[in-house]
mmCIF file with all atom_site columns, all heavy atoms in Angstrom:
data_model
loop_
_atom_site.group_PDB
_atom_site.id
_atom_site.type_symbol
_atom_site.label_atom_id
_atom_site.label_alt_id
_atom_site.label_comp_id
_atom_site.label_asym_id
_atom_site.label_entity_id
_atom_site.label_seq_id
_atom_site.pdbx_PDB_ins_code
_atom_site.Cartn_x
_atom_site.Cartn_y
_atom_site.Cartn_z
_atom_site.occupancy
_atom_site.B_iso_or_equiv
_atom_site.pdbx_formal_charge
_atom_site.auth_seq_id
_atom_site.auth_comp_id
_atom_site.auth_asym_id
_atom_site.auth_atom_id
_atom_site.pdbx_PDB_model_num
ATOM 1   N N   . PRO A 1 1  ? 0.829  -1.215 0.000  1.00 92.00 ? 1  PRO A N   1
ATOM 2   C CA  . PRO A 1 1  ? 0.000  0.000  0.000  1.00 92.00 ? 1  PRO A CA  1
ATOM 3   C C   . PRO A 1 1  ? 0.862  1.264  0.000  1.00 92.00 ? 1  PRO A C   1
ATOM 4   O O   . PRO A 1 1  ? 1.937  1.300  0.615  1.00 92.00 ? 1  PRO A O   1
ATOM 5   C CB  . PRO A 1 1  ? -0.804 -0.112 1.302  1.00 92.00 ? 1  PRO A CB  1
ATOM 6   C CG  . PRO A 1 1  ? -0.720 -1.549 1.695  1.00 92.00 ? 1  PRO A CG  1
ATOM 7   C CD  . PRO A 1 1  ? 0.584  -2.052 1.184  1.00 92.00 ? 1  PRO A CD  1
ATOM 8   N N   . LEU A 1 2  ? 0.397  2.255  -0.701 1.00 94.00 ? 2  LEU A N   1
ATOM 9   C CA  . LEU A 1 2  ? 1.063  3.563  -0.696 1.00 94.00 ? 2  LEU A CA  1
ATOM 10  C C   . LEU A 1 2  ? 0.492  4.356  0.472  1.00 94.00 ? 2  LEU A C   1
ATOM 11  O O   . LEU A 1 2  ? -0.516 5.055  0.348  1.00 94.00 ? 2  LEU A O   1
ATOM 12  C CB  . LEU A 1 2  ? 0.829  4.281  -2.024 1.00 94.00 ? 2  LEU A CB  1
ATOM 13  C CG  . LEU A 1 2  ? 1.480  5.663  -2.197 1.00 94.00 ? 2  LEU A CG  1
ATOM 14  C CD1 . LEU A 1 2  ? 2.964  5.611  -1.899 1.00 94.00 ? 2  LEU A CD1 1
ATOM 15  C CD2 . LEU A 1 2  ? 1.226  6.200  -3.596 1.00 94.00 ? 2  LEU A CD2 1
ATOM 16  N N   . VAL A 1 3  ? 1.115  4.227  1.628  1.00 94.00 ? 3  VAL A N   1
ATOM 17  C CA  . VAL A 1 3  ? 0.536  4.764  2.845  1.00 94.00 ? 3  VAL A CA  1
ATOM 18  C C   . VAL A 1 3  ? 1.642  5.098  3.841  1.00 94.00 ? 3  VAL A C   1
ATOM 19  O O   . VAL A 1 3  ? 2.766  4.589  3.748  1.00 94.00 ? 3  VAL A O   1
ATOM 20  C CB  . VAL A 1 3  ? -0.462 3.746  3.451  1.00 94.00 ? 3  VAL A CB  1
ATOM 21  C CG1 . VAL A 1 3  ? 0.267  2.525  4.002  1.00 94.00 ? 3  VAL A CG1 1
ATOM 22  C CG2 . VAL A 1 3  ? -1.350 4.368  4.502  1.00 94.00 ? 3  VAL A CG2 1
ATOM 23  N N   . ASP A 1 4  ? 1.319  5.987  4.781  1.00 94.00 ? 4  ASP A N   1
ATOM 24  C CA  . ASP A 1 4  ? 2.224  6.405  5.853  1.00 94.00 ? 4  ASP A CA  1
ATOM 25  C C   . ASP A 1 4  ? 3.504  7.023  5.300  1.00 94.00 ? 4  ASP A C   1
ATOM 26  O O   . ASP A 1 4  ? 4.626  6.568  5.556  1.00 94.00 ? 4  ASP A O   1
ATOM 27  C CB  . ASP A 1 4  ? 2.540  5.220  6.778  1.00 94.00 ? 4  ASP A CB  1
ATOM 28  C CG  . ASP A 1 4  ? 1.315  4.790  7.590  1.00 94.00 ? 4  ASP A CG  1
ATOM 29  O OD1 . ASP A 1 4  ? 0.472  5.654  7.869  1.00 94.00 ? 4  ASP A OD1 1
ATOM 30  O OD2 . ASP A 1 4  ? 1.206  3.601  7.915  1.00 94.00 ? 4  ASP A OD2 1
ATOM 31  N N   . TYR A 1 5  ? 3.322  8.075  4.531  1.00 96.00 ? 5  TYR A N   1
ATOM 32  C CA  . TYR A 1 5  ? 4.445  8.868  4.016  1.00 96.00 ? 5  TYR A CA  1
ATOM 33  C C   . TYR A 1 5  ? 4.011  10.326 3.964  1.00 96.00 ? 5  TYR A C   1
ATOM 34  O O   . TYR A 1 5  ? 2.829  10.651 4.150  1.00 96.00 ? 5  TYR A O   1
ATOM 35  C CB  . TYR A 1 5  ? 4.867  8.371  2.635  1.00 96.00 ? 5  TYR A CB  1
ATOM 36  C CG  . TYR A 1 5  ? 3.862  8.619  1.523  1.00 96.00 ? 5  TYR A CG  1
ATOM 37  C CD1 . TYR A 1 5  ? 4.104  9.555  0.532  1.00 96.00 ? 5  TYR A CD1 1
ATOM 38  C CD2 . TYR A 1 5  ? 2.663  7.901  1.466  1.00 96.00 ? 5  TYR A CD2 1
ATOM 39  C CE1 . TYR A 1 5  ? 3.188  9.793  -0.485 1.00 96.00 ? 5  TYR A CE1 1
ATOM 40  C CE2 . TYR A 1 5  ? 1.752  8.117  0.454  1.00 96.00 ? 5  TYR A CE2 1
ATOM 41  C CZ  . TYR A 1 5  ? 2.008  9.061  -0.520 1.00 96.00 ? 5  TYR A CZ  1
ATOM 42  O OH  . TYR A 1 5  ? 1.109  9.293  -1.520 1.00 96.00 ? 5  TYR A OH  1
ATOM 43  N N   . ASP A 1 6  ? 4.957  11.212 3.747  1.00 97.00 ? 6  ASP A N   1
ATOM 44  C CA  . ASP A 1 6  ? 4.682  12.648 3.740  1.00 97.00 ? 6  ASP A CA  1
ATOM 45  C C   . ASP A 1 6  ? 4.319  13.076 2.320  1.00 97.00 ? 6  ASP A C   1
ATOM 46  O O   . ASP A 1 6  ? 5.180  13.135 1.438  1.00 97.00 ? 6  ASP A O   1
ATOM 47  C CB  . ASP A 1 6  ? 5.915  13.402 4.241  1.00 97.00 ? 6  ASP A CB  1
ATOM 48  C CG  . ASP A 1 6  ? 5.686  14.915 4.352  1.00 97.00 ? 6  ASP A CG  1
ATOM 49  O OD1 . ASP A 1 6  ? 4.601  15.389 3.969  1.00 97.00 ? 6  ASP A OD1 1
ATOM 50  O OD2 . ASP A 1 6  ? 6.605  15.599 4.831  1.00 97.00 ? 6  ASP A OD2 1
ATOM 51  N N   . LEU A 1 7  ? 3.052  13.387 2.117  1.00 97.00 ? 7  LEU A N   1
ATOM 52  C CA  . LEU A 1 7  ? 2.578  13.787 0.790  1.00 97.00 ? 7  LEU A CA  1
ATOM 53  C C   . LEU A 1 7  ? 3.117  15.143 0.355  1.00 97.00 ? 7  LEU A C   1
ATOM 54  O O   . LEU A 1 7  ? 2.994  15.523 -0.814 1.00 97.00 ? 7  LEU A O   1
ATOM 55  C CB  . LEU A 1 7  ? 1.046  13.807 0.773  1.00 97.00 ? 7  LEU A CB  1
ATOM 56  C CG  . LEU A 1 7  ? 0.358  12.640 0.076  1.00 97.00 ? 7  LEU A CG  1
ATOM 57  C CD1 . LEU A 1 7  ? -1.133 12.648 0.328  1.00 97.00 ? 7  LEU A CD1 1
ATOM 58  C CD2 . LEU A 1 7  ? 0.624  12.689 -1.415 1.00 97.00 ? 7  LEU A CD2 1
ATOM 59  N N   . ALA A 1 8  ? 3.708  15.884 1.289  1.00 98.00 ? 8  ALA A N   1
ATOM 60  C CA  . ALA A 1 8  ? 4.280  17.183 0.926  1.00 98.00 ? 8  ALA A CA  1
ATOM 61  C C   . ALA A 1 8  ? 5.641  17.048 0.259  1.00 98.00 ? 8  ALA A C   1
ATOM 62  O O   . ALA A 1 8  ? 6.169  18.022 -0.295 1.00 98.00 ? 8  ALA A O   1
ATOM 63  C CB  . ALA A 1 8  ? 4.402  18.069 2.166  1.00 98.00 ? 8  ALA A CB  1
ATOM 64  N N   . GLU A 1 9  ? 6.218  15.851 0.307  1.00 97.00 ? 9  GLU A N   1
ATOM 65  C CA  . GLU A 1 9  ? 7.537  15.648 -0.309 1.00 97.00 ? 9  GLU A CA  1
ATOM 66  C C   . GLU A 1 9  ? 7.381  15.508 -1.818 1.00 97.00 ? 9  GLU A C   1
ATOM 67  O O   . GLU A 1 9  ? 7.600  14.438 -2.391 1.00 97.00 ? 9  GLU A O   1
ATOM 68  C CB  . GLU A 1 9  ? 8.217  14.423 0.301  1.00 97.00 ? 9  GLU A CB  1
ATOM 69  C CG  . GLU A 1 9  ? 8.748  14.635 1.703  1.00 97.00 ? 9  GLU A CG  1
ATOM 70  C CD  . GLU A 1 9  ? 9.904  15.639 1.750  1.00 97.00 ? 9  GLU A CD  1
ATOM 71  O OE1 . GLU A 1 9  ? 10.527 15.892 0.692  1.00 97.00 ? 9  GLU A OE1 1
ATOM 72  O OE2 . GLU A 1 9  ? 10.156 16.188 2.837  1.00 97.00 ? 9  GLU A OE2 1
ATOM 73  N N   . GLN A 1 10 ? 6.996  16.615 -2.441 1.00 97.00 ? 10 GLN A N   1
ATOM 74  C CA  . GLN A 1 10 ? 6.818  16.653 -3.889 1.00 97.00 ? 10 GLN A CA  1
ATOM 75  C C   . GLN A 1 10 ? 7.621  17.828 -4.428 1.00 97.00 ? 10 GLN A C   1
ATOM 76  O O   . GLN A 1 10 ? 7.313  18.987 -4.112 1.00 97.00 ? 10 GLN A O   1
ATOM 77  C CB  . GLN A 1 10 ? 5.344  16.786 -4.256 1.00 97.00 ? 10 GLN A CB  1
ATOM 78  C CG  . GLN A 1 10 ? 4.485  15.643 -3.702 1.00 97.00 ? 10 GLN A CG  1
ATOM 79  C CD  . GLN A 1 10 ? 3.057  15.705 -4.178 1.00 97.00 ? 10 GLN A CD  1
ATOM 80  O OE1 . GLN A 1 10 ? 2.777  15.745 -5.374 1.00 97.00 ? 10 GLN A OE1 1
ATOM 81  N NE2 . GLN A 1 10 ? 2.125  15.690 -3.246 1.00 97.00 ? 10 GLN A NE2 1
ATOM 82  N N   . PRO A 1 11 ? 8.649  17.566 -5.216 1.00 97.00 ? 11 PRO A N   1
ATOM 83  C CA  . PRO A 1 11 ? 9.551  18.637 -5.648 1.00 97.00 ? 11 PRO A CA  1
ATOM 84  C C   . PRO A 1 11 ? 8.851  19.838 -6.267 1.00 97.00 ? 11 PRO A C   1
ATOM 85  O O   . PRO A 1 11 ? 9.210  20.982 -5.986 1.00 97.00 ? 11 PRO A O   1
ATOM 86  C CB  . PRO A 1 11 ? 10.462 17.929 -6.665 1.00 97.00 ? 11 PRO A CB  1
ATOM 87  C CG  . PRO A 1 11 ? 10.478 16.510 -6.229 1.00 97.00 ? 11 PRO A CG  1
ATOM 88  C CD  . PRO A 1 11 ? 9.092  16.241 -5.705 1.00 97.00 ? 11 PRO A CD  1
ATOM 89  N N   . VAL A 1 12 ? 7.846  19.603 -7.104 1.00 98.00 ? 12 VAL A N   1
ATOM 90  C CA  . VAL A 1 12 ? 7.221  20.726 -7.806 1.00 98.00 ? 12 VAL A CA  1
ATOM 91  C C   . VAL A 1 12 ? 6.553  21.695 -6.831 1.00 98.00 ? 12 VAL A C   1
ATOM 92  O O   . VAL A 1 12 ? 6.559  22.917 -7.051 1.00 98.00 ? 12 VAL A O   1
ATOM 93  C CB  . VAL A 1 12 ? 6.212  20.211 -8.861 1.00 98.00 ? 12 VAL A CB  1
ATOM 94  C CG1 . VAL A 1 12 ? 5.015  19.536 -8.216 1.00 98.00 ? 12 VAL A CG1 1
ATOM 95  C CG2 . VAL A 1 12 ? 5.770  21.328 -9.780 1.00 98.00 ? 12 VAL A CG2 1
ATOM 96  N N   . ILE A 1 13 ? 6.025  21.193 -5.715 1.00 98.00 ? 13 ILE A N   1
ATOM 97  C CA  . ILE A 1 13 ? 5.397  22.058 -4.719 1.00 98.00 ? 13 ILE A CA  1
ATOM 98  C C   . ILE A 1 13 ? 6.447  22.771 -3.873 1.00 98.00 ? 13 ILE A C   1
ATOM 99  O O   . ILE A 1 13 ? 6.380  23.992 -3.668 1.00 98.00 ? 13 ILE A O   1
ATOM 100 C CB  . ILE A 1 13 ? 4.437  21.248 -3.826 1.00 98.00 ? 13 ILE A CB  1
ATOM 101 C CG1 . ILE A 1 13 ? 3.303  20.649 -4.661 1.00 98.00 ? 13 ILE A CG1 1
ATOM 102 C CG2 . ILE A 1 13 ? 3.872  22.120 -2.705 1.00 98.00 ? 13 ILE A CG2 1
ATOM 103 C CD1 . ILE A 1 13 ? 2.348  19.778 -3.869 1.00 98.00 ? 13 ILE A CD1 1
ATOM 104 N N   . LEU A 1 14 ? 7.409  22.016 -3.373 1.00 98.00 ? 14 LEU A N   1
ATOM 105 C CA  . LEU A 1 14 ? 8.443  22.602 -2.523 1.00 98.00 ? 14 LEU A CA  1
ATOM 106 C C   . LEU A 1 14 ? 9.237  23.661 -3.282 1.00 98.00 ? 14 LEU A C   1
ATOM 107 O O   . LEU A 1 14 ? 9.560  24.723 -2.736 1.00 98.00 ? 14 LEU A O   1
ATOM 108 C CB  . LEU A 1 14 ? 9.362  21.505 -2.001 1.00 98.00 ? 14 LEU A CB  1
ATOM 109 C CG  . LEU A 1 14 ? 8.686  20.422 -1.152 1.00 98.00 ? 14 LEU A CG  1
ATOM 110 C CD1 . LEU A 1 14 ? 9.691  19.349 -0.755 1.00 98.00 ? 14 LEU A CD1 1
ATOM 111 C CD2 . LEU A 1 14 ? 8.046  21.031 0.088  1.00 98.00 ? 14 LEU A CD2 1
ATOM 112 N N   . GLU A 1 15 ? 9.532  23.397 -4.538 1.00 98.00 ? 15 GLU A N   1
ATOM 113 C CA  . GLU A 1 15 ? 10.287 24.363 -5.336 1.00 98.00 ? 15 GLU A CA  1
ATOM 114 C C   . GLU A 1 15 ? 9.486  25.634 -5.580 1.00 98.00 ? 15 GLU A C   1
ATOM 115 O O   . GLU A 1 15 ? 10.048 26.745 -5.586 1.00 98.00 ? 15 GLU A O   1
ATOM 116 C CB  . GLU A 1 15 ? 10.702 23.719 -6.661 1.00 98.00 ? 15 GLU A CB  1
ATOM 117 C CG  . GLU A 1 15 ? 11.770 22.640 -6.505 1.00 98.00 ? 15 GLU A CG  1
ATOM 118 C CD  . GLU A 1 15 ? 11.898 21.725 -7.708 1.00 98.00 ? 15 GLU A CD  1
ATOM 119 O OE1 . GLU A 1 15 ? 11.231 21.995 -8.745 1.00 98.00 ? 15 GLU A OE1 1
ATOM 120 O OE2 . GLU A 1 15 ? 12.659 20.739 -7.620 1.00 98.00 ? 15 GLU A OE2 1
ATOM 121 N N   . ALA A 1 16 ? 8.178  25.515 -5.774 1.00 98.00 ? 16 ALA A N   1
ATOM 122 C CA  . ALA A 1 16 ? 7.336  26.700 -5.990 1.00 98.00 ? 16 ALA A CA  1
ATOM 123 C C   . ALA A 1 16 ? 7.333  27.596 -4.761 1.00 98.00 ? 16 ALA A C   1
ATOM 124 O O   . ALA A 1 16 ? 7.403  28.832 -4.878 1.00 98.00 ? 16 ALA A O   1
ATOM 125 C CB  . ALA A 1 16 ? 5.916  26.269 -6.350 1.00 98.00 ? 16 ALA A CB  1
ATOM 126 N N   . LEU A 1 17 ? 7.246  27.006 -3.581 1.00 98.00 ? 17 LEU A N   1
ATOM 127 C CA  . LEU A 1 17 ? 7.259  27.799 -2.356 1.00 98.00 ? 17 LEU A CA  1
ATOM 128 C C   . LEU A 1 17 ? 8.608  28.480 -2.155 1.00 98.00 ? 17 LEU A C   1
ATOM 129 O O   . LEU A 1 17 ? 8.676  29.674 -1.816 1.00 98.00 ? 17 LEU A O   1
ATOM 130 C CB  . LEU A 1 17 ? 6.927  26.919 -1.151 1.00 98.00 ? 17 LEU A CB  1
ATOM 131 C CG  . LEU A 1 17 ? 5.486  26.406 -1.060 1.00 98.00 ? 17 LEU A CG  1
ATOM 132 C CD1 . LEU A 1 17 ? 5.330  25.460 0.125  1.00 98.00 ? 17 LEU A CD1 1
ATOM 133 C CD2 . LEU A 1 17 ? 4.500  27.564 -0.936 1.00 98.00 ? 17 LEU A CD2 1
ATOM 134 N N   . ARG A 1 18 ? 9.672  27.758 -2.373 1.00 98.00 ? 18 ARG A N   1
ATOM 135 C CA  . ARG A 1 18 ? 11.009 28.354 -2.183 1.00 98.00 ? 18 ARG A CA  1
ATOM 136 C C   . ARG A 1 18 ? 11.265 29.443 -3.221 1.00 98.00 ? 18 ARG A C   1
ATOM 137 O O   . ARG A 1 18 ? 11.865 30.481 -2.923 1.00 98.00 ? 18 ARG A O   1
ATOM 138 C CB  . ARG A 1 18 ? 12.070 27.255 -2.266 1.00 98.00 ? 18 ARG A CB  1
ATOM 139 C CG  . ARG A 1 18 ? 12.000 26.256 -1.095 1.00 98.00 ? 18 ARG A CG  1
ATOM 140 C CD  . ARG A 1 18 ? 13.173 25.288 -1.110 1.00 98.00 ? 18 ARG A CD  1
ATOM 141 N NE  . ARG A 1 18 ? 13.115 24.386 0.036  1.00 98.00 ? 18 ARG A NE  1
ATOM 142 C CZ  . ARG A 1 18 ? 12.859 23.088 -0.034 1.00 98.00 ? 18 ARG A CZ  1
ATOM 143 N NH1 . ARG A 1 18 ? 12.650 22.504 -1.218 1.00 98.00 ? 18 ARG A NH1 1
ATOM 144 N NH2 . ARG A 1 18 ? 12.823 22.342 1.060  1.00 98.00 ? 18 ARG A NH2 1
ATOM 145 N N   . ARG A 1 19 ? 10.805 29.228 -4.436 1.00 97.00 ? 19 ARG A N   1
ATOM 146 C CA  . ARG A 1 19 ? 11.003 30.212 -5.502 1.00 97.00 ? 19 ARG A CA  1
ATOM 147 C C   . ARG A 1 19 ? 10.311 31.536 -5.168 1.00 97.00 ? 19 ARG A C   1
ATOM 148 O O   . ARG A 1 19 ? 10.822 32.618 -5.471 1.00 97.00 ? 19 ARG A O   1
ATOM 149 C CB  . ARG A 1 19 ? 10.467 29.643 -6.812 1.00 97.00 ? 19 ARG A CB  1
ATOM 150 C CG  . ARG A 1 19 ? 10.710 30.499 -8.023 1.00 97.00 ? 19 ARG A CG  1
ATOM 151 C CD  . ARG A 1 19 ? 10.489 29.693 -9.287 1.00 97.00 ? 19 ARG A CD  1
ATOM 152 N NE  . ARG A 1 19 ? 9.155  29.168 -9.430 1.00 97.00 ? 19 ARG A NE  1
ATOM 153 C CZ  . ARG A 1 19 ? 8.833  27.875 -9.442 1.00 97.00 ? 19 ARG A CZ  1
ATOM 154 N NH1 . ARG A 1 19 ? 9.772  26.954 -9.279 1.00 97.00 ? 19 ARG A NH1 1
ATOM 155 N NH2 . ARG A 1 19 ? 7.585  27.474 -9.606 1.00 97.00 ? 19 ARG A NH2 1
ATOM 156 N N   . ALA A 1 20 ? 9.161  31.443 -4.519 1.00 97.00 ? 20 ALA A N   1
ATOM 157 C CA  . ALA A 1 20 ? 8.405  32.646 -4.165 1.00 97.00 ? 20 ALA A CA  1
ATOM 158 C C   . ALA A 1 20 ? 8.868  33.266 -2.851 1.00 97.00 ? 20 ALA A C   1
ATOM 159 O O   . ALA A 1 20 ? 8.390  34.341 -2.478 1.00 97.00 ? 20 ALA A O   1
ATOM 160 C CB  . ALA A 1 20 ? 6.919  32.305 -4.070 1.00 97.00 ? 20 ALA A CB  1
ATOM 161 N N   . GLY A 1 21 ? 9.769  32.594 -2.140 1.00 97.00 ? 21 GLY A N   1
ATOM 162 C CA  . GLY A 1 21 ? 10.183 33.098 -0.837 1.00 97.00 ? 21 GLY A CA  1
ATOM 163 C C   . GLY A 1 21 ? 9.190  32.777 0.256  1.00 97.00 ? 21 GLY A C   1
ATOM 164 O O   . GLY A 1 21 ? 9.062  33.531 1.234  1.00 97.00 ? 21 GLY A O   1
ATOM 165 N N   . ALA A 1 22 ? 8.475  31.662 0.132  1.00 97.00 ? 22 ALA A N   1
ATOM 166 C CA  . ALA A 1 22 ? 7.451  31.277 1.107  1.00 97.00 ? 22 ALA A CA  1
ATOM 167 C C   . ALA A 1 22 ? 7.913  30.104 1.966  1.00 97.00 ? 22 ALA A C   1
ATOM 168 O O   . ALA A 1 22 ? 7.116  29.238 2.331  1.00 97.00 ? 22 ALA A O   1
ATOM 169 C CB  . ALA A 1 22 ? 6.150  30.940 0.390  1.00 97.00 ? 22 ALA A CB  1
ATOM 170 N N   . GLU A 1 23 ? 9.191  30.091 2.313  1.00 97.00 ? 23 GLU A N   1
ATOM 171 C CA  . GLU A 1 23 ? 9.722  28.994 3.135  1.00 97.00 ? 23 GLU A CA  1
ATOM 172 C C   . GLU A 1 23 ? 9.051  28.909 4.496  1.00 97.00 ? 23 GLU A C   1
ATOM 173 O O   . GLU A 1 23 ? 9.030  27.835 5.115  1.00 97.00 ? 23 GLU A O   1
ATOM 174 C CB  . GLU A 1 23 ? 11.234 29.149 3.336  1.00 97.00 ? 23 GLU A CB  1
ATOM 175 C CG  . GLU A 1 23 ? 12.065 28.930 2.094  1.00 97.00 ? 23 GLU A CG  1
ATOM 176 C CD  . GLU A 1 23 ? 12.314 30.208 1.314  1.00 97.00 ? 23 GLU A CD  1
ATOM 177 O OE1 . GLU A 1 23 ? 11.578 31.202 1.541  1.00 97.00 ? 23 GLU A OE1 1
ATOM 178 O OE2 . GLU A 1 23 ? 13.239 30.222 0.474  1.00 97.00 ? 23 GLU A OE2 1
ATOM 179 N N   . HIS A 1 24 ? 8.474  30.011 4.967  1.00 96.00 ? 24 HIS A N   1
ATOM 180 C CA  . HIS A 1 24 ? 7.800  29.999 6.270  1.00 96.00 ? 24 HIS A CA  1
ATOM 181 C C   . HIS A 1 24 ? 6.630  29.014 6.295  1.00 96.00 ? 24 HIS A C   1
ATOM 182 O O   . HIS A 1 24 ? 6.181  28.608 7.372  1.00 96.00 ? 24 HIS A O   1
ATOM 183 C CB  . HIS A 1 24 ? 7.282  31.397 6.610  1.00 96.00 ? 24 HIS A CB  1
ATOM 184 C CG  . HIS A 1 24 ? 6.231  31.895 5.657  1.00 96.00 ? 24 HIS A CG  1
ATOM 185 N ND1 . HIS A 1 24 ? 6.530  32.528 4.460  1.00 96.00 ? 24 HIS A ND1 1
ATOM 186 C CD2 . HIS A 1 24 ? 4.872  31.832 5.701  1.00 96.00 ? 24 HIS A CD2 1
ATOM 187 C CE1 . HIS A 1 24 ? 5.422  32.836 3.828  1.00 96.00 ? 24 HIS A CE1 1
ATOM 188 N NE2 . HIS A 1 24 ? 4.396  32.426 4.559  1.00 96.00 ? 24 HIS A NE2 1
ATOM 189 N N   . ALA A 1 25 ? 6.130  28.632 5.127  1.00 97.00 ? 25 ALA A N   1
ATOM 190 C CA  . ALA A 1 25 ? 4.977  27.730 5.051  1.00 97.00 ? 25 ALA A CA  1
ATOM 191 C C   . ALA A 1 25 ? 5.362  26.264 5.080  1.00 97.00 ? 25 ALA A C   1
ATOM 192 O O   . ALA A 1 25 ? 4.475  25.397 5.161  1.00 97.00 ? 25 ALA A O   1
ATOM 193 C CB  . ALA A 1 25 ? 4.180  28.023 3.778  1.00 97.00 ? 25 ALA A CB  1
#
């Protein structure tokens, strides 16, 4: 099963936040 992992670990999302300067989120 694809379960019990961090769904936020997605490069396209993390890179978008860092690119905008939204690391606080």
Side-chain angles (χ1 to χ4, degrees):
L2 181 53
V3 69
D4 291 331
Y5 68 109
D6 184 356
L7 256 170
E9 286 294 341
Q10 301 186 55
V12 67
I13 298 177
L14 300 177
E15 290 163 6
L17 291 176
R18 293 187 178 111
R19 185 165 61 244
E23 291 91 342
H24 64 275

